[in-house]
């Protein structure tokens, strides 16, 4: 399967712990996005990368959240000192952006985080 | 700021019938893209159809078509010959264009569609 993959699929942690999620985009895609989705809501944008550069961050992304894409391939999203309000599905998407090409995003299966 | 509104939280349709899901959006942009994504239960989000705002012709993908009314800022999805596999949450999404000025999607809250056998 050559789609977007995310690991782990589920994560249960205690409040105050740090967690890290990984996303592997479609191999030729140069853009990678992170979203957060809570129950009954649509995904909310967190941040995105073009190659290894982080180009935009949402105000939702507090200083406890950090994302990296060190080699322009896979990305990690880390949440430090987790809070119960961080419980959500974290979605990753990737796209191939170029002139005249609509920036259609393809989503991974998500990582469901539960903070106890 | 862009907003996307899906006013139908839940809908149902008989198998083989046609259903229309509504979506409205608010933007001051002239160039943008609109998307419908499908999220089956416990499965990942899948692109259903895409519309470029500069195109007047409505997009069509097999049983799925849109009614794009730019002046009214309306972007509805019509599903013809509904199948059981169409049961899912459907999200309408907006993205500004050109790229590099903000590529994030703005999603609506979704419409849960159930196809009844």
């Amino acid at each position: 399967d050559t789609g977007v993959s995310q690991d782990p699929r589920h994560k249960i942690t205690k409040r105050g712990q740090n967690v890290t999620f990984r996303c592997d985009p479609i191999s030729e895609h140069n853009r990678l996005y992170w979203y957060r989705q809570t129950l009954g809501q649509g995904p909310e944008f967190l941040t995105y990368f073009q190659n290894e550069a982080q180009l935009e961050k949402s105000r939702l992304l507090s200083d406890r959240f950090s994302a990296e894409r060190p080699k322009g391939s896979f990305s990690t999203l880390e949440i430090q000192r987790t809070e119960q309000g961080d419980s959500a599905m974290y979605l990753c998407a990737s796209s191939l952006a170029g002139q005249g090409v609509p920036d259609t995003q393809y989503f991974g299966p998500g990582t469901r985080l539960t903070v106890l | 700021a862009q907003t996307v509104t899906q006013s139908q939280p839940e809908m149902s349709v008989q198998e083989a019938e046609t259903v229309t899901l509504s979506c409205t959006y608010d933007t001051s942009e002239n160039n943008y893209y609109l998307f419908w994504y499908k999220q089956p239960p416990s499965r990942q989000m899948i692109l259903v159809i895409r519309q470029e705002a500069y195109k007047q012709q409505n997009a069509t993908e097999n049983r799925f078509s849109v009614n794009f009314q730019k002046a009214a800022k309306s972007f509805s999805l019509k599903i013809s010959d509904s199948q059981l596999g169409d049961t899912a949450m459907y999200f309408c999404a907006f993205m500004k264009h050109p790229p590099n000025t903000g590529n994030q999607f703005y999603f609506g809250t979704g419409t849960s569609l159930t196809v009844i056998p």
Side-chain angles (χ1 to χ4, degrees), chain B residues 12 22 26 28-29 35 41 49 57 76 79-80 84 93 97 102 104:
Chain B
S12 62
S22 66
D26 186 22
S28 58
E29 303 288 331
F35 302 80
I49 199 164
Q57 186 173 7
S76 61
I79 305 174
S80 304
L84 297 179
H97 180 77
Q104 57 181 286

Side-chain angles (χ1 to χ4, degrees), chain A residues 1-113:
Chain A
D1 187 283
T2 58
V4 178
S5 62
Q6 292 185 245
D7 183 70
R9 296 291 304 277
H10 303 274
K11 179 70 177 178
I12 300 174
T13 191
K14 293 182 179 179
R15 189 176 53 186
Q17 297 295 304
N18 300 342
V19 294
T20 300
F21 309 142
R22 176 180 170 124
C23 171
D24 286 88
I26 294 171
S27 60
E28 66 270 23
H29 284 185
N30 53 3
R31 286 190 177 152
L32 187 148
Y33 304 77
W34 286 99
Y35 292 85
R36 181 172 67 188
Q37 185 178 22
T38 54
L39 197 63
Q41 299 295 317
E44 295 174 294
F45 171 80
L46 292 178
T47 188
Y48 96 95
F49 294 83
Q50 174 137 338
N51 300 313
E52 66 274 12
Q54 188 174 17
L55 295 187
E56 191 170 348
K57 291 194 293 186
S58 164
R59 284 170 289 180
L60 291 175
L61 209 67
S62 76
D63 57 5
R64 296 185 297 106
F65 288 70
S66 62
E68 294 182 344
R69 195 184 183 197
K71 297 181 180 179
S73 56
F74 74 92
S75 175
T76 58
L77 177 68
E78 181 183 16
I79 308 174
Q80 295 182 329
R81 305 181 302 282
T82 52
E83 302 172 356
Q84 289 184 327
D86 297 331
S87 295
M89 177 75 85
Y90 290 83
L91 297 171
C92 176
S94 70
S95 69
L96 177 63
Q99 192 170 9
V101 177
D103 194 9
T104 300
Q105 297 178 24
Y106 296 87
F107 284 80
T111 294
R112 181 169 296 284
L113 173 66

Side-chain angles (χ1 to χ4, degrees), chain B residues 82-94:
Chain B
S82 298
Q83 301 176 359
L84 297 179
D86 296 333
T87 293
M89 183 73 84
Y90 286 81
F91 291 100
C92 177
F94 168 100

